[in-house]
Structure formats: structure tokens, C-alpha cells
Amino acid sequence: DHLHIVYIDEDECEVDGQTVSCHHIALTFSAGKNSDNMDVWIAKDAARTPVYIKGGLSVGHMECRIVGHQVIESLLNTGE
């Protein structure tokens, strides 16, 4: 099994009616002869919040959009 990650570019996503600056990456999951691809947009905020994910799966297609989040300050302060 393999995971291949490619940085695509900086991009923008709409989140709750606001434009958010993001990093766009592509993920390819390979297992034997099967592979699935996903595109992920990660906000350029301190928490690096994933705001949009879309991709093809062996059982169909999926899209996920963030509908809300809460930043856990203790994680941001420790640098983890």
C-alpha cells in the first residue's frame, strides 16, 4: 500500500460565504492494482484546517466541506 502526496498550488475556497486562502494538495492511495485519488484544500491558518476534500473511491465519489470548527489553543501553543 502506498500514499503519494503532491502539492498543487495555493488556491481559494468558499467557506460559509467567505473566501479562504488554502494550500491545494492531491493524494493518491494505491493498494495492488487499485488506486483512489483525492484533492484536499487546507486553510493557511495556524491550525491548518482542512476545509474541502473531494475524490473518487472504489465505491463512488465523495465531497466534504467544513461546516464549523473550534481551535484547540493548547495544540497551537505547543507547536505540535
Side-chain angles (χ1 to χ4, degrees), residues 15-36:
V15 177
D16 291 331
Q18 296 181 349
T19 301
V20 176
S21 292
C22 297
H23 296 289
H24 177 190
I25 62 172
L27 308 175
T28 302
F29 304 93
S30 300
K33 294 182 179 181
N34 298 328
S35 67
D36 296 320

Side-chain angles (χ1 to χ4, degrees), residues 12-74:
E12 294 181 340
C13 283
E14 290 292 321
V15 177
D16 291 331
Q18 296 181 349
T19 301
V20 176
S21 292
C22 297
H23 296 289
H24 177 190
I25 62 172
L27 308 175
T28 302
F29 304 93
S30 300
K33 294 182 179 181
N34 298 328
S35 67
D36 296 320
N37 300 311
M38 289 189 187
D39 286 285
V40 181
W41 285 262
I42 301 170
K44 293 168 57 178
D45 60 6
R48 295 187 280 293
T49 308
V51 295
Y52 181 49
I53 303 169
K54 72 174 183 176
L57 303 171
S58 58
V59 295
H61 179 84
M62 66 132 208
E63 288 191 34
C64 302
R65 291 187 182 273
I66 192 166
V67 294
H69 73 285
Q70 179 180 3
V71 176
I72 302 171
E73 293 295 329
S74 60

